[in-house]
Structures are given as C-alpha cells and as structure tokens.
Amino acid sequence: MRTDNFQAPDYYNIDELLSDEHKIVRDAAREWVKREVSPIIEDAAQKAEFPKSIIGGLAEIGAFGPYIPEEYGGAGLDQISYGLIMQEIERGDSGVRSTASVQSSLVMYPIYKYGTEEQRKKYLPKLASGEFMGCFGLTEPDHGSNPGGMTTNFKDKGDHYLLNGAKMWISNAPFADLAIVWAKDENGRIHGLIVERGMEGFSTPETHNKWSLRASATGELIFDNVKVPKENLMPNKSGLGAPLGCLDSARYGIAWGAIGAAMDCYDTALRYAKERIQFDKPIAGTQLQQKKLAEMITEITKAQLMAWRLGVLRNEEKATSAQISMAKRNNVEMAINIAREARQILGGMGITGEYSIMRHMMNLESVITYEGTHDIHLLITGMDITGIPAFQ
Ligand code: TGC
Ligand code: FAD
C-alpha cells in the first residue's frame, strides 16, 4: 500500500484568504482523502473499477451537494468551500472528483434549481447521503460539443411522456439510480427529465477499455420507448441554457479540482527530486529540474488565485459563464502540463503505479475534454471578448 506523504503547496499564503470554515472543510476532505482514497485508488484504477465503498465517506465530507441548503440534505456551504472540497478530492483522483461533481452539480443542482418542491424533497436528501447516485445525460454519439443538435426526444402521450434516444460518455451511468436526461419535446425545445433505473426500456451499458478515469464508471444511456411519468419533468427551466447552467457549476468545481491534481504531481516530483541522487547529487540541485519545479509552483499559485477570485465572484452571484470557462480551461491545462513535467522528473519510476503522477496525467486527458473541450472554452472566451461566435 502506498504511503501518502502529501504536503499542500501554498506559496502565496492563500490560506490567509480563507475563513476558518473553509479551512475546516478543506482539512476534513484532505484527511479523508489521505485515509480512505490514497490507499485504494491505484488498485481501483488498475482494475478499472469505481470504488463504491467510498460513497458513504464522500457524503460525510459534504461532497454531495456542498452548496445545497441543509433543509434538502446538502451541506449549505459557500462556493469556496465547494471548490476546496473538489480540490482535495481531485488531489486523490479526478475520477472520484467526477463522481462528486456529477452528483452535486449535474444531478442535485438541476433538481434544486429547476425541479418542483416534490422532486426536491423526494430526491435531494437521498442524493446528499449517497443512498441514491445520479448521472447526467447531455452528450450523444453525434452531438458532443454541439449539444443543441441532440436528437433524444419525448412525446406527450397524455398520462406520460414517451422517451427515445441515446446518450454517450455518461459518468456514473453504469450504477446510477437515476439520470437527469436532456431531451427535446415535439417542438424541439430542450427539457430535463428524471429517469429512474428500472423504468422499462431504459438501460445503461458500461463503456470499457478507457485509459483515463479508470476509477470512474462511464456508460451509455439507452431509451427505447421509456414511459416517463409526467411528474418527472423539471418544469422551472427549459432550453439549452438549462443544462449549460448546470455545467457552469461543474466547470467551476473542475477549475478547483485540477489544482488538486497539479498539487499532488508537484509535491511528488519535488520530494522525489530532493531524494533521487544522480551524478553524486540530488537531481533537485540541477538547473533543468529546478526550472521545471519553479514553473510548476508559479503556475499552481496563479491557478489558486484565479480559482479563489472566481469563488468570491460566485459567492456574490457575479461570475459569468465566460469567466468560468477561462478558469476551467486554464487550470486543467496547467494541471496536465505539470503532470507531464512531473512524470519526467521521476524518470522511469514516473510511469509506474508506485506514484500517482501517470494516473493523474491520464485522468486529465478526460478532464481537458469533458465539460466542454479545451478548444470550446477558448471559443467561449473568444466570443465573449469579440462578441462574435466562431463555433460554426
Ligand atoms: P448558444 O446559442 O451560445 O446558447 C444557447 C443558450 O444557452 C445559453 N448559454 C448558457 N446558459 C448558462 N450557462 C452557460 N454556460 C451558457 N452558455 C450558453 C445562451 O445564453 C442561450 O440561451 P437562450 O436563452 O438565448 O437560448 O449555444 P450553441 O448551441 O451555440 O453552443 C454554445 C456552446 C458551444 C458554448 C455550448 O453548447 C457548449 O458549452 N458546448 C460544450 C458541451 C459541453 O460542455 N458538454 C458537457 C457535457 S456534460 C459533461 O461533460 C460531464 S463530465 C462530468 C464529470 O465526469 O465530471
Ligand atoms: P467533439 O465535439 O466531436 O469534438 C472533437 C474535437 O473537435 C475536439 O477537439 C473539439 O474541441 C473540436 N471541435 C468541436 N467543435 C469545434 C468547433 N466549432 N471549432 C473548433 N473545434 C471544434 N457528457 C455528458 O453529458 N455527461 C457526462 O457525465 C459525461 N462524462 C464524460 C466522461 C468522460 C470520461 C468523457 C471522456 C466524456 C464525458 N462526457 C459526458 C462527454 C464530454 O462532455 C464530451 O466528450 C465533450 O463535450 C466533447 O464531445 P465529443 O467527445 O463528442 O467531441
């Protein structure tokens, strides 16, 4: 079993920007990851299995619905606490953070924001405790970056809706108890439906042979004439802006999460470089390795400041979608670059499961693609500053 010696870098004393509550929440998540995730995650990733045994612990540290009000079972925390929890979980593994992101921002958030009071009471407390696990179906085989082109649809059959279509690349799908499904009505308007496991015609085949996010279960959602009760439609928002609103919350969490993966790679590489002797001295004493390490801590520090400022704006409900895109894009690229450099510092040892770096690096290949690809987020920034969309 691997020993977790992680020490979090804080080069600009960013802790001084955090409240006592932030630090308590962050430290609890950090300790839990050390105790419950680090010892098992490499094995889970090697076996390509989601470690279901950690669901209860994720609920206990408030990772399911951190900012959902306590009356619905959430932790009632602010956006910075939410970000710090995501940072700590992704320090352990991006796939575990994925599970928490989907449950919080892509399942609980839409039910809380767009659902009825009955839906909130029925689902949110059980999602917060981990008794129910959820997934979010937006992407389709032929519509990834362009979800507005989706073909999954439902027809009004009087006492129920009839749902047909398919979703692809869906995190948590293979074991989810319910799915938030985005589908078009007969007028082509997008709505969110809550589809429960066990509904006839609904299946969730698993996607195998991933080299990335191996400790997170990914699958398809297939709807073959599924009868969905009318009370399962979330009535309070429709149109593409509804799923994209959920993505704002999840992308914000990823902007923090990626810092966690980067911190773990940096910390591992720094310790290794100080201990590894070549040519009779630690490799940390060579200019080339110092350049790598110095650039890493600089980039981590910039990303920390960006995430913290975005958190302040989110708390004030002033953050724009484009600001969130910029942070997601910047921080994930920062993390993947650091993972690649850190891997080199470890030489051959860097490719083994003895260290977490290669797993982070492979995971980040998904993180840079999902929730909007790196290119799409650049185009969102481009559109925001020029006023001209360049998607088509
Ligand atoms: P466009 O015409 O620009 O916009 C359509 C409507 O949506 C509104 N909108 C937003 N609303 C809230 N939040 C945002 N971020 C929004 N962005 C746009 C917009 O105002 C408009 O509203 P209205 O009222 O005028 O109709 O849409 P478009 O079709 O041109 O596409 C724009 C684009 C490319 C930016 C968007 O579709 C996009 O972001 N594409 C990327 C797709 C994506 O991110 N998919 C993620 C799937 S879920 C996932 O990956 C989960 S991974 C989970 C994990 O494991 O962690
Ligand atoms: P495409 O859209 O086909 O893009 C391919 C390439 O073309 C990309 O480089 C892209 O940047 C580029 N491109 C596309 N359009 C343009 C353009 N206009 N201009 C320039 N370049 C362009 N989705 C969900 O709904 N729910 C989930 O839970 C979920 N989990 C996921 C988990 C994993 C492990 C992965 C890998 C994906 C997941 N996704 C999920 C799907 C994810 O959001 C999509 O993969 C992503 O949005 C990109 O879509 P795509 O793969 O179809 O790529």
Side-chain angles (χ1 to χ4, degrees), residues 270-320:
L270 178 62
R271 190 171 307 108
Y272 187 89
K274 288 202 261 186
E275 289 168 2
R276 176 70 175 164
I277 310 290
Q278 288 294 289
F279 300 97
D280 302 323
K281 69 171 185 178
I283 58 169
T286 65
Q287 288 188 356
L288 282 175
Q289 305 318 317
Q290 285 192 8
K291 176 176 188 292
K292 291 191 182 84
L293 292 163
E295 286 176 352
M296 283 182 203
I297 191 62
T298 308
E299 291 307 314
I300 288 171
T301 305
K302 283 151 69 177
Q304 286 171 323
L305 289 167
M306 193 176 208
W308 175 81
R309 175 62 188 152
L310 191 61
V312 172
L313 290 173
R314 293 265 301 168
N315 278 342
E316 295 169 354
E317 297 184 6
K318 290 197 299 210
T320 66

Side-chain angles (χ1 to χ4, degrees), residues 174 255 313 327 333 338 377:
L313 290 173
E333 184 183 39
I338 284 178
H377 288 296

Side-chain angles (χ1 to χ4, degrees), residues 98 102 106 135-147 167-173 182 210 212-213 216-219 247 251 363 365-367 369-377 379 390-392:
S98 242
V102 169
L106 301 183
C135 67
F136 176 90
L138 180 64
T139 305
E140 298 187 351
D142 294 330
H143 300 95
S145 297
N146 175 27
K167 301 287 177 181
M168 190 180 179
W169 293 119
I170 307 306
S171 301
N172 299 356
W182 300 95
K210 292 179 298 168
S212 174
L213 288 194
S216 159
T218 312
L247 293 182
R251 290 166 176 174
N363 283 342
E365 290 290 346
S366 287
V367 182
T369 292
Y370 67 31
E371 302 270 6
T373 67
H374 195 59
D375 292 336
I376 288 295
H377 288 296
L379 294 177
F391 300 108
Q392 286 166 358

Side-chain angles (χ1 to χ4, degrees), residues 248 251-259 302-311 320-335 374 377 381:
D248 275 357
R251 290 166 176 174
Y252 165 74
I254 291 173
W256 281 92
I259 298 171
K302 283 151 69 177
Q304 286 171 323
L305 289 167
M306 193 176 208
W308 175 81
R309 175 62 188 152
L310 191 61
T320 66
S321 299
Q323 286 170 331
I324 295 166
S325 279
M326 181 183 280
K328 191 268 184 186
R329 181 173 185 277
N330 181 78
N331 290 8
V332 178
E333 184 183 39
M334 172 280 299
H374 195 59
H377 288 296
T381 305

Side-chain angles (χ1 to χ4, degrees), residues 15 39-41 54 63 71 77 81 101 112 164 182 189-190 207 211 232 237 243 250 274-275 291-292 352 358 364:
D15 260 24
I40 58 142
I41 197 64
I54 63 173
E71 64 175 303
L77 297 168
S81 290
S101 287
Y112 175 61
N164 278 288
W182 300 95
R189 183 93 184 147
I190 294 170
T207 303
W211 286 115
N232 283 28
K237 192 162 167 88
K274 288 202 261 186
E275 289 168 2
K291 176 176 188 292
K292 291 191 182 84
T352 72
M358 189 84 178
L364 289 162

Side-chain angles (χ1 to χ4, degrees), residues 322-364:
Q323 286 170 331
I324 295 166
S325 279
M326 181 183 280
K328 191 268 184 186
R329 181 173 185 277
N330 181 78
N331 290 8
V332 178
E333 184 183 39
M334 172 280 299
I336 206 166
N337 288 342
I338 284 178
R340 287 170 182 155
E341 292 290 290
R343 216 272 326 136
Q344 293 203 57
I345 291 177
L346 268 71
M349 288 309 292
I351 71 153
T352 72
E354 287 294 304
Y355 296 89
S356 53
I357 295 174
M358 189 84 178
R359 178 166 45 79
H360 282 307
M361 193 168 106
M362 294 194 298
N363 283 342
L364 289 162

Side-chain angles (χ1 to χ4, degrees), residues 223-251:
F223 313 105
D224 180 8
N225 286 317
V226 181
K227 284 184 183 175
V228 181
K230 285 200 154 172
E231 65 264 24
N232 283 28
L233 183 138
M234 294 180 290
N236 296 333
K237 192 162 167 88
S238 62
L240 188 57
L244 289 176
C246 309
L247 293 182
D248 275 357
S249 177
R251 290 166 176 174

